[in-house]
Amino acid sequence: EASKAVIDGKRPDADQLTRVPLSVARDRAMLMHQIYTTTLDVMHDRYFHADRSVVPARAMEDVFENLERETGSKANWISVNLKAMSINHDPSTEFEKQAARELGLGKPEYESVDNGVYRRATPIPLHGGCVSCHAGFNPKPSKTPKLAGLVISMPVIAKESSQP
């Protein structure tokens, strides 16, 4: 594929392309979070019209899939303190379950390094139309922010640093 990385006229093998030092993975995950959330906000603002569009969070999953093929990094949504709109968004791994708990308590991020994979979860505040579907129409007022989570995972080079 023309869009895949080429180094010195050759395509690197998958491991060379995807494994990075932990410090690079952490930096990339923060940048990817900004890119994904900004894209989601713009899509909601400019393109979401309930009668004729795909829900932006669902459209973002196509972006996640394309970037996974390109970079080896993964991204997925998790529910934090509202009903998951897809069974794929229920926290399923131990990392995702703990991340949902931590984000639900107001933590700005939750991260881990395990088996050569760096994972970072961050909150995604839900507003307006998001809340009306996830919490039902006319939800009771609450001071607790309604949240989903964005989990970004990428393979790292072993032993740069064992923990975040």
Side-chain angles (χ1 to χ4, degrees), residues 13-83:
D13 66 36
D15 195 56
Q16 289 174 313
L17 183 61
T18 59
R19 292 212 175 265
V20 297
L22 175 59
S23 60
V24 172
R26 184 175 288 122
D27 186 57
R28 284 185 185 175
M30 287 183 222
L31 177 62
M32 290 169 73
H33 172 85
Q34 291 172 322
I35 291 167
Y36 288 143
T37 58
T38 300
T39 302
L40 183 64
D41 289 343
V42 169
M43 289 173 66
H44 270 98
D45 183 56
R46 305 265 165 60
Y47 301 107
F48 181 63
H49 304 284
D51 60 338
R52 59 183 158 86
S53 293
V54 172
V55 174
R58 172 56 196 102
M60 286 294 297
E61 290 174 354
D62 293 335
V63 175
F64 296 166
E65 288 176 29
N66 288 340
L67 279 171
E68 182 176 350
R69 280 193 303 275
E70 296 286 326
T71 68
S73 64
K74 296 180 182 185
N76 63 285
W77 305 118
I78 58 170
S79 61
V80 172
N81 59 8
L82 288 175
K83 177 184 170 191

